[in-house]
Amino acid sequence: MQTYDLKSRDPAGDDTHIENLQWIDLNDDPITALGRHYPAGSRGLPHSHTKTQLWCARRGVVLVNTAGGRWMIPPGHGLLIPAGLEHFSEMISDVEMHSIYADPAVISAVQPRVLEVTPLASSLMEELVLAEEKPLTPRRKRLIIELLLDEISLLPERPLGLPFPSDARLGRLCRHFLKSPDANAGIDEWASGLGMSRRSFTRLFRAETGVSFVTWRQQACIFASLPGLAEGEPVTNVALDAGYENIAAFTTMFRRMLGSAPSTYLKSRTLA
């Protein structure tokens, strides 16, 4: 196992980043583990792997982009990325990450999924990441990998992915919405902006994203709120920035989607 500390570097302009990607794909181990630090604002090179990747944020918030969508990874969560899928990451804040790479026969993935990472899974990944400094016996390494694979199969999925349309005009509206979310945005307003009827717009939106406009709007508002929450901004401010008229409505939607109140969700999942 090897670890790479990329603190104070921009991986997009670092030849070492490319070398690391090649090393990952050529490594014959069934599981490869890496640990990295990224400064806020850095952006990775578009790339893909021959391995399935589990990208876990121990601290900070990461946005992973593909041609078909965006996935937010807040602390205590990981993104399962299928082998062969081109993607790149943007660091919303300073980020500490652990990542594992597995042969697709060991961990398979059809599409990206955000998973809530349990303390057990986090500890097992850390053992693998630190193996270069604290060598593992073959037996211990095998046991850790077996237990980690079993734990990964049980990790709960969280709705932190946001599908993006391929239609250019609709895509522009979606990107603008993320910059200025509005929990009360209406279908008629969007349809009018595209010069379409309400019925035609709803059909186009579902065909392009796979979900209804209302579902996408709800997900997008919560999606846009996570960086502020992770930075410790007051929930009231975050709720207003997300386009909610009051904190109660925001909290209700947040709890419905992620299972707990925004004031406690990220605090309870920051990995030590």
Side-chain angles (χ1 to χ4, degrees):
M1 300 291 176
Q2 297 186 27
T3 61
Y4 299 92
D5 187 348
L6 301 184
K7 189 177 289 184
S8 300
R9 289 181 175 179
D10 179 359
D14 194 341
D15 290 340
T16 303
H17 184 65
I18 299 176
E19 294 173 2
N20 293 346
L21 298 177
Q22 294 172 341
W23 177 81
I24 290 165
D25 285 343
L26 294 174
N27 194 293
D28 292 329
D29 288 345
I31 294 286
T32 303
L34 297 176
R36 292 174 178 154
H37 290 81
Y38 294 106
S42 60
R43 174 173 168 152
L45 292 167
H47 66 281
S48 63
H49 303 285
T50 59
K51 310 281 183 70
T52 303
Q53 180 182 9
L54 179 59
W55 206 123
C56 177
R58 292 174 61 81
R59 293 180 179 84
V61 178
V62 182
L63 180 65
V64 175
N65 301 265
T66 72
R70 299 181 180 186
W71 286 264
M72 190 77 76
I73 316 176
H77 294 72
L79 179 66
L80 195 63
I81 304 174
L85 179 67
E86 185 171 79
H87 60 280
F88 69 91
S89 56
E90 299 177 75
M91 309 305 151
I92 307 301
S93 60
D94 289 344
V95 170
E96 178 188 352
M97 61 81 73
H98 283 170
S99 195
I100 65 169
Y101 304 83
D103 188 288
V106 176
I107 300 179
S108 63
V110 177
Q111 59 186 8
R113 294 187 294 130
V114 177
L115 306 175
E116 184 178 328
V117 177
T118 60
L120 175 58
S122 176
S123 295
L124 293 169
M125 282 190 280
E126 185 173 24
E127 285 288 318
L128 295 178
V129 166
L130 297 177
E132 185 178 28
E133 300 173 8
K134 299 166 54 178
L136 298 169
T137 65
R139 178 177 180 275
R140 181 173 177 81
K141 178 179 176 181
R142 175 174 54 80
L143 291 173
I144 289 173
I145 288 176
E146 288 180 0
L147 183 55
L148 176 59
L149 291 175
D150 187 68
E151 185 70 2
I152 288 174
S153 70
L154 301 175
L155 297 181
E157 183 174 357
R158 296 304 180 206
L160 297 177
L162 196 65
F164 257 64
S166 57
D167 181 272
R169 295 185 304 158
L170 191 54
R172 282 194 294 271
L173 287 178
C174 290
R175 283 190 291 272
H176 176 75
F177 185 88
L178 279 180
K179 294 178 181 178
S180 302
D182 180 0
N184 297 307
I187 293 175
D188 292 333
E189 178 184 354
W190 281 50
S192 176
L194 295 180
M196 303 175 67
S197 69
R198 179 187 179 94
R199 185 175 183 181
S200 296
F201 173 82
T202 55
R203 286 180 174 177
L204 173 66
F205 198 93
R206 184 176 287 276
E208 287 283 325
T209 65
V211 297
S212 70
F213 172 78
V214 172
T215 296
W216 190 93
R217 183 189 65 195
Q218 292 170 345
Q219 291 177 337
C221 286
I222 299 302
F223 190 94
S225 74
L226 289 173
L229 291 172
E231 291 297 316
E233 293 184 21
V235 175
T236 299
N237 292 354
V238 171
L240 293 175
D241 289 343
Y244 284 84
E245 296 178 354
N246 60 76
I247 188 173
F250 174 73
T251 299
T252 298
M253 182 57 63
F254 196 100
R255 189 187 299 273
R256 183 184 303 167
M257 291 183 62
L258 296 178
S260 63
S263 59
T264 59
Y265 185 78
L266 293 181
K267 287 181 181 179
S268 64
R269 288 159 177 80
T270 299
L271 301 177

